[in-house]
Amino acid sequence: GTKKKAACPGLGLFYTVLSAFLFSVASLFLKKIEDVHSVEVSAFRCVFQMAFVLPGLIYYKTGFLGPKGKRIFLFFRGFLGSSAMILLYYAFQVMPLADATVITFSSPVFTSLLAWIFLKEKYSIWDLLFTLFAITGVVLIARPPFLFGSNITGIEGSYTDHLKGTIAAITSTVSAASTFVILRKVGKSVHYFLSIWYYAVIGLIGCVIALFVMNEWRLPYCGKDRVLLILIGLLGLGGQIFLTKALQIEKAGPVAIMKTMDVVFAFILQILFLNHLPTWWTVGGALCVVASSSGTAIRKWRQSLKKAKQNEI
């Protein structure tokens, strides 16, 4: 028979770096938008995702609601996932790009904690240590006045906005971790296109309702903002595609470690295009969070390899 063509070594890691770059550029463009609320940006992102996923649902004949026993999980996956996106976009708009990106990298740590609580997965002393590292990193970035005093430098705008952005980023991270736990619970019984479909539809409905309640729904006045909205949608979609491709051809551990390039790109783009130098507090917080997330990823990766070897025996 014909030999199967060998996969290109490192292609999955390249896809991961490319995905991180696209997500980072989309975040930069979000910072550049002047007159569009973060919820409206999220609505446009949901529209792009629906347009991409709809042909896939039709092609794979998955239906639009999913299996009856899984619909409640799909609903919460869509609700929590879209909430995480909206809160993250808000954090990007009101606080430094690198700060918000670093906080989101504590997601693997919270995923382990929630999986221990709801899925009864093992939670060791190492997981607790990584959790404490992540919390330390977030505290260094937030710099609450009762610990660091009232004269805080190196933030964008007022400290009130910085604190709001930090709370939004942390809530976004916990929501994203909750979606991972739900996806683990659902497993492979639901097609991933259907999962993204719930994410986009529920997110769009929630965004539209929120915009009308806040009276913030309007088309961007400037042509530049409209172009940036389209680019954010395309870049976010491209980032998701390349990340999905990476996870299909590479183990989750190396992909999770390589995703730390998100933080590197965020720092570079913030310095080059936003003229905002990160403080040493932010750098220290970034090191703590990246160390905790990388440690969690490496530990999970080693556990999966060990389990695979035991199954072979």
Side-chain angles (χ1 to χ4, degrees):
T2 58
K3 289 185 178 180
K4 189 177 180 181
K5 187 177 179 181
C8 177
L11 184 60
L13 299 182
F14 171 74
Y15 283 156
T16 307
V17 174
L18 185 56
S19 168
F21 178 73
L22 293 178
F23 280 133
S24 298
V25 175
S27 303
L28 174 66
F29 288 162
L30 181 62
K31 294 286 289 184
K32 290 290 187 181
I33 290 182
E34 298 175 355
D35 297 318
V36 184
H37 197 279
S38 58
V39 178
E40 188 171 350
V41 179
S42 303
F44 276 94
R45 169 78 180 274
C46 290
V47 169
F48 271 93
Q49 289 197 185
M50 289 174 64
F52 169 74
V53 171
L54 184 58
L57 293 178
I58 297 171
Y59 178 79
Y60 289 107
K61 299 178 181 179
T62 61
F64 296 96
L65 296 177
K68 286 186 177 180
K70 305 295 182 181
R71 290 175 187 174
I72 186 66
F73 295 110
L74 287 169
F75 171 80
F76 280 109
R77 181 268 185 271
F79 176 75
L80 291 169
S82 57
S83 298
M85 174 184 62
I86 295 169
L87 291 166
L88 180 60
Y89 280 6
Y90 174 77
F92 279 139
Q93 286 190 330
V94 299
M95 68 186 302
L97 180 64
D99 290 19
T101 303
V102 168
I103 292 174
T104 61
F105 256 79
S106 57
S107 180
V109 179
F110 287 110
T111 302
S112 298
L113 181 60
L114 292 174
W116 170 60
I117 295 172
F118 295 104
L119 301 181
K120 308 304 179 184
E121 293 186 5
K122 188 177 179 181
Y123 190 80
S124 69
I125 191 67
W126 283 106
D127 294 310
L128 177 60
L129 182 63
F130 294 143
T131 302
L132 294 176
F133 257 89
I135 293 173
T136 302
V138 172
V139 169
L140 291 176
I141 292 170
R143 281 170 282 166
F146 68 89
L147 289 177
F148 293 84
S150 57
N151 296 323
I152 298 173
T153 59
I155 61 175
E156 288 182 2
S158 65
Y159 180 76
T160 301
D161 286 339
H162 182 80
L163 184 60
K164 288 180 180 178
T166 301
I167 294 172
I170 294 172
T171 309
S172 170
T173 301
V174 175
S175 297
S178 301
T179 63
F180 292 144
V181 172
I182 291 172
L183 289 174
R184 283 188 194 176
K185 179 71 176 178
V186 173
K188 296 181 180 179
S189 60
V190 176
H191 198 280
Y192 70 92
F193 269 150
L194 194 60
S195 176
I196 299 174
W197 173 255
Y198 266 81
Y199 175 99
V201 171
I202 294 175
L204 180 60
I205 293 172
C207 288
V208 171
I209 293 173
L211 287 169
F212 276 108
V213 170
M214 297 185 299
N215 196 26
E216 289 282 353
W217 180 263
R218 62 179 183 274
L219 283 175
Y221 300 117
C222 177
K224 183 189 76 171
D225 283 350
R226 298 180 187 184
V227 172
L228 289 177
L229 275 175
I230 295 173
L231 289 175
I232 289 170
L234 292 175
L235 290 168
L237 186 57
Q240 281 195 331
I241 291 172
F242 281 114
L243 184 58
T244 302
K245 291 286 291 180
L247 290 169
Q248 286 177 341
I249 61 178
E250 185 61 78
K251 291 182 172 61
V255 170
I257 296 168
M258 193 58 69
K259 260 190 69 61
T260 55
M261 288 300 296
D262 275 356
V263 177
V264 177
F265 287 134
F267 275 106
I268 293 173
L269 294 176
Q270 177 176 297
I271 294 170
L272 292 180
F273 297 101
L274 301 176
N275 297 318
H276 186 88
L277 289 172
T279 64
W280 287 111
W281 292 115
T282 298
V283 174
L287 291 175
C288 287
V289 172
V290 169
S292 66
S293 61
S294 299
T296 302
I298 292 171
R299 187 171 176 278
K300 297 295 182 184
W301 179 30
R302 291 183 63 182
Q303 285 178 341
S304 65
L305 292 176
K306 185 177 179 180
K307 188 175 181 181
K309 287 181 180 180
Q310 289 175 346
N311 291 336
E312 287 178 2
I313 296 172

